[in-house]
Amino acid sequence: MPKDTSSGKSLSKGYAFVEFETAQEAQAAIQTLNGFKLDKTHSLMVNSFMDVERYTEVDDTYQAPPEEPYVEREHLRSWLTDEYGRDQFAMYAHNELGVYWNESVQAPESILSRSNWTERFVKWSPLGSFMCTIHYQGLVLWGGPSWKKLARFVHLNIKMADFSPSERYLVTWSTDPISVDAVNQRLGAGNEHQNPFTSDDEGHTVCIWDTHTGSLLRSFPPVKTEDGKAANVGWPQFKWSPSEEYFARIVPNASLAIYEASTMSLLDKKSMKIPGIQDFAWSPRVIYDPRTGAARPEMLAYWTPEEGNLPARVSLISVPTKTLIRTKNLFNVFTAFLHWHPEGQALCVRVQRFTKSKKSRYTNLEIFRAYEKDVPVDVIELKDCAVAFDWEPVADSWRFAIVHTDDLTPPIRNPSGMASTAANTSVSFYAFERKGRLVKKEGFQLLKTFDRKKVTALKWSPRGRHIVLATIRTTSTYDLDFVDIEFDHAAATKSGNAGDAVTIVASGDHYGITDFDWDPTGRFITTTSSSWYHSAEHGYILWDFKGEQIHKGIVEGFKQLIWRPRPRSLLTEEMKRQVRKDLKTYAKEFEDIDERKLHAADAELMSQRRRLISEWQTWREQVDAQLAEETDEALQNGYILPAAADNQMFVVEEIVDDIIEEKEEIIN
């Protein structure tokens, strides 16, 4: 440690020389300590001693670096420029993975299909820029008009993958602890330089990568409880703040660890000790101050159960200061679930509580208005248990739907997750009404309830207003209900009750349904029947938002269909209102386009039929000519042909039965 004694005091010159036993230890120290924050204004810089020689032995004569030819990168959002405004989806069946254009009036148009493109499943990034395929050796990102490989991440036996909200970071998890030797062996001799791991990563299972560079930023060991046992933290293990500046995960019942994305290190160098913590959730949007336009601090919510005489508690904190914003005590709590509004303005805590006898349970909905003064809380008490909850994803409307039931008997499921029956349920819709001339009490009001259902899942359209109620992953019920909560305006206006507008506009079913999802525009929805869950009829059905079936595809070995997400619209609210105002003008243009495409499809089909007939007639003429030539040659050689001798022709008539439609009815 060099010292400066010129002032009469032995002061450090601010640097030290440290020698390690091996070069590997030195490199590990550089990787771990370089850039480490000592405090808010000082960081530790660590370099190899060889760097000193490399940077000091530099030729004073400037030499221009060699020019590299400019290679234009493909636009990762080129699909948004489609002239028809179509959406894409990926479909995985057997060993085939394909990408398709969705068509509103005919079967999907194939863009690209490859065998063995993925080994496990397929996933889109949150904004649709990347499609990732999962392989035993790791994960690959694809994109652009040519669907070329953009990046490869080596992590053996990946089971799960997740992106940060703006796609900058990628998180992968494997059940196999990282082994440098195992990765080198899998990559093969001569490819060891592709191994991103060092001895510091040994035994870790979670990795965070930079999607821009493909580099490994940090790996993490499995989460363990305070007694050293493996902890079940669910997926995603890490949850990201909407700005991507922070990410966090919990050690169940012990602590909450918040990390800075820029340094991959703990915020304030320590975890938050929160005894009993069960779950947490970030507010999903960055909220801006309407007066200054500045971004407000990000918000995070967590809950802890009852312990002894201490009540259960829901807490909201500000990040990065970790300041407590609001807390609320809860009693007789069985469990709780956190549901942020998609625009981040409100948080619903779905609390399952015991009755006084402890023999049954009911649900309270504790709704925090997160960015209002003093964070007021609205409470909705149900007589039974809410088993599913979903906010309408519209900023200026606080409406939600819940599935609730008094039948809490756990369903019997087979090994693949299919239940034998579905419980009897009800579906209720609520809306927030502010105090006014017609509304005496501000708060959430019940709009309507549909009873005697067997709904197990519900999903709002990305544009709001429309919602689908479905019974999925059961072996006995496959119901679908398409609901429009603003359908009957006349009835609502006449009665003065907004709930009278809520209407089931269509009902249907899809045998063996296992999943369903809306397209990004909210115009279409797909229901799927996957071979991952059962061996019955596999495939998908495309519906419009009104519940009309557009296309049905029976696909043997079907596994997965997922829509390609779209980034948030760049249009302002004023521009969107103008589009809605002029919608009738645009609608005529879109209808003309659909009609032309339908006629073009019919014309293409007729053209194909004419081509096939022409090819058959050409082939027939060639065969007739060849037969006549062979007949003449045979007669010249003295052969007597039976058909020629008798001068007879035989017409062979075949009857072919085609089954147009088959319907089976059970008559009691």
Side-chain angles (χ1 to χ4, degrees):
M1 174 73 77
K3 304 289 185 181
D4 182 4
T5 58
S6 59
S7 61
K9 298 180 180 180
S10 181
L11 301 176
S12 166
K13 287 190 174 182
Y15 57 90
F17 299 95
V18 183
E19 183 176 354
F20 294 85
E21 291 185 358
T22 65
Q24 289 79 8
E25 291 180 357
Q27 288 299 321
I30 294 172
Q31 183 177 358
T32 304
L33 299 175
N34 188 34
F36 182 82
K37 282 194 172 185
L38 300 172
D39 54 38
K40 291 185 178 180
T41 57
H42 297 85
S43 297
L44 181 65
M45 305 302 294
V46 183
N47 292 89
S48 167
F49 192 75
M50 301 298 294
D51 291 343
V52 178
E53 297 181 358
R54 186 172 60 177
Y55 294 133
T56 55
E57 297 178 2
V58 177
D59 190 354
D60 293 337
T61 306
Y62 172 74
Q63 293 183 353
E67 284 192 16
E68 295 184 1
Y70 171 71
V71 179
E72 185 176 358
R73 293 185 61 186
E74 291 186 347
H75 202 301
L76 297 182
R77 296 182 179 176
S78 58
W79 92 96
L80 296 174
T81 62
D82 177 59
E83 61 176 325
Y84 300 119
R86 295 173 295 179
D87 281 288
Q88 292 181 355
F89 62 82
M91 184 167 65
Y92 181 32
H94 273 310
N95 295 324
E96 290 283 331
L97 172 60
V99 183
Y100 299 82
W101 287 113
N102 178 47
E103 295 287 356
S104 59
V105 293
Q106 58 196 52
E109 177 187 336
S110 176
I111 301 172
L112 181 65
S113 181
R114 294 176 183 171
S115 297
N116 301 312
W117 199 354
T118 185
E119 296 176 8
R120 300 229 163 121
F121 59 90
V122 61
K123 183 181 179 69
W124 294 105
S125 59
L127 305 180
S129 303
F130 309 112
M131 183 181 76
C132 66
T133 56
I134 312 299
H135 311 266
Y136 180 78
Q137 288 192 0
L139 182 148
V140 180
L141 297 185
W142 310 82
S146 64
W147 291 97
K148 67 179 182 180
K149 185 188 297 184
L150 302 175
R152 178 192 180 202
F153 304 92
V154 178
H155 189 184
L156 300 186
N157 200 21
I158 289 177
K159 299 296 185 183
M160 293 289 182
D162 187 48
F163 288 87
S164 60
S166 297
E167 307 177 334
R168 176 62 191 272
Y169 304 101
L170 170 67
V171 185
T172 58
W173 170 70
S174 171
T175 52
D176 297 348
I178 292 171
S179 168
V180 176
D181 292 339
V183 175
N184 286 335
Q185 184 178 1
R186 189 70 183 183
L187 292 173
N191 296 319
E192 292 84 355
H193 63 283
Q194 298 179 14
N195 189 343
F197 303 116
T198 66
S199 57
D200 286 346
D201 302 309
E202 290 276 352
H204 294 183
T205 56
V206 180
C207 296
I208 298 183
W209 312 81
D210 187 327
T211 58
H212 293 183
T213 63
S215 59
L216 174 67
L217 299 177
R218 182 172 174 179
S219 65
F220 293 84
V223 178
K224 294 186 177 181
T225 59
E226 291 182 328
D227 56 3
K229 296 181 179 179
N232 182 14
V233 295
W235 186 260
Q237 269 198 28
F238 289 102
K239 299 178 184 180
W240 294 85
S241 70
S243 67
E244 291 189 339
E245 292 184 14
Y246 309 98
F247 60 97
R249 74 173 177 181
I250 64 170
V251 176
N253 302 309
S255 62
L256 173 66
I258 303 176
Y259 296 84
E260 293 181 282
S262 58
T263 62
M264 290 287 141
S265 58
L266 279 169
L267 180 64
D268 298 332
K269 304 179 193 175
K270 60 183 178 181
S271 300
M272 295 178 63
K273 299 297 181 183
I274 308 174
I277 184 171
Q278 297 296 300
D279 194 13
F280 77 99
W282 291 94
S283 172
R285 289 279 181 263
V286 176
I287 304 297
Y288 295 91
D289 191 308
R291 294 172 298 176
T292 64
R296 292 180 173 177
E298 300 188 73
M299 194 179 295
L300 178 150
Y302 64 87
W303 80 276
T304 56
E306 295 176 83
E307 186 175 352
N309 294 326
L310 296 176
R313 181 172 296 176
V314 177
S315 301
L316 274 67
I317 63 172
S318 174
V319 178
T321 62
K322 301 180 183 177
T323 304
L324 184 64
I325 299 173
R326 181 73 156 86
T327 185
K328 185 173 182 184
N329 295 336
L330 304 170
F331 299 91
N332 298 322
V333 174
F334 173 71
T335 188
F337 305 89
L338 307 174
H339 304 279
W340 278 100
H341 189 283
E343 296 299 324
Q345 302 157 330
L347 167 71
C348 176
V349 183
R350 178 163 54 96
V351 185
Q352 284 196 20
R353 286 178 158 166
F354 288 109
T355 58
K356 291 182 179 180
S357 65
K358 303 287 185 180
K359 294 182 179 180
S360 59
R361 300 195 296 268
Y362 66 98
T363 294
N364 268 20
L365 303 178
E366 309 275 344
I367 303 174
F368 294 72
R369 297 186 232 165
Y371 288 93
E372 294 186 15
K373 185 178 179 181
D374 299 328
V375 190
V377 180
D378 298 278
V379 180
I380 300 173
E381 186 171 316
L382 305 176
K383 295 181 180 180
D384 49 10
C385 270
V387 294
F389 178 100
D390 199 22
W391 285 101
E392 182 185 21
V394 178
D396 57 355
S397 173
W398 288 3
R399 297 188 290 205
F400 62 83
I402 57 171
V403 179
H404 50 104
T405 180
D406 57 4
D407 183 359
L408 298 179
T409 305
I412 300 174
R413 296 187 180 275
N414 61 24
S416 61
M418 296 288 288
S420 56
T421 59
N424 293 318
T425 59
S426 299
V427 181
S428 296
F429 297 87
Y430 288 82
F432 183 77
E433 296 183 357
R434 295 198 177 274
K435 193 173 182 179
R437 185 173 60 86
L438 300 178
V439 181
K440 296 181 179 180
K441 185 179 179 181
E442 183 174 85
F444 286 88
Q445 306 295 329
L446 175 65
L447 295 179
K448 195 163 190 174
T449 297
F450 295 114
D451 293 317
R452 296 188 295 277
K453 295 291 183 181
K454 290 186 177 293
V455 175
T456 59
L458 44 77
K459 286 184 183 179
W460 287 93
S461 160
R463 298 292 179 262
R465 179 174 170 175
H466 300 275
I467 185 172
V468 170
L469 318 177
T471 309
I472 64 173
R473 299 178 192 174
T474 73
T475 58
S476 58
T477 310
Y478 322 100
D479 296 338
L480 294 166
D481 288 322
F482 297 81
V483 180
D484 183 350
I485 61 172
E486 299 177 7
F487 180 78
D488 199 342
H489 281 289
T493 303
K494 183 178 180 180
S495 66
N497 179 15
D500 290 340
V502 181
T503 307
I504 296 178
V505 295
S507 295
D509 62 78
H510 182 179
Y511 177 70
I513 179 174
T514 55
D515 290 286
F516 65 108
D517 202 9
W518 289 90
D519 84 315
T521 67
R523 296 173 59 206
F524 305 100
I525 188 168
T526 49
T527 56
T528 58
S529 175
S530 173
S531 61
W532 283 335
Y533 293 93
H534 57 72
S535 58
E537 182 180 271
H538 302 142
Y540 68 95
I541 298 179
L542 178 69
W543 314 75
D544 68 6
F545 66 94
K546 303 186 299 296
E548 294 182 3
Q549 183 175 317
I550 297 174
H551 174 71
K552 181 176 182 178
I554 298 175
V555 184
E556 187 178 353
F558 175 91
K559 297 176 181 176
Q560 188 182 15
L561 186 153
I562 51 174
W563 292 96
R564 187 172 192 174
R566 284 177 175 259
R568 287 175 70 86
S569 174
L570 299 177
L571 299 179
T572 64
E573 288 302 320
E574 180 61 34
M575 295 168 71
K576 291 179 182 178
R577 281 193 290 269
Q578 187 61 40
V579 169
R580 285 192 287 269
K581 183 179 178 181
D582 300 336
L583 194 57
K584 290 185 178 180
T585 305
Y586 296 124
K588 182 64 171 67
E589 180 182 346
F590 295 147
E591 288 171 1
D592 291 343
I593 292 175
D594 287 344
E595 190 173 353
R596 287 199 300 270
K597 288 173 67 177
L598 189 59
H599 289 331
D602 292 341
E604 184 179 352
L605 179 62
M606 293 302 297
S607 176
Q608 182 182 9
R609 288 177 177 174
R610 292 192 189 99
R611 179 176 55 80
L612 292 174
I613 292 174
S614 176
E615 289 176 356
W616 181 83
Q617 289 177 340
T618 302
W619 174 83
R620 179 66 184 270
E621 291 172 358
Q622 292 174 351
V623 170
D624 288 346
Q626 182 179 356
L627 179 60
E629 182 179 343
E630 291 176 354
T631 301
D632 292 341
E633 183 179 350
L635 292 173
Q636 291 175 3
N637 292 332
Y639 290 102
I640 300 176
L641 301 178
D646 298 337
N647 195 24
Q648 295 178 352
M649 294 184 65
F650 298 92
V651 177
V652 179
E653 198 173 279
E654 293 185 0
I655 299 175
V656 180
D657 292 335
D658 284 339
I659 298 177
I660 305 301
E661 183 179 3
E662 186 174 358
K663 183 181 295 184
E664 182 177 335
E665 295 184 2
I666 299 175
I667 302 174
N668 294 329

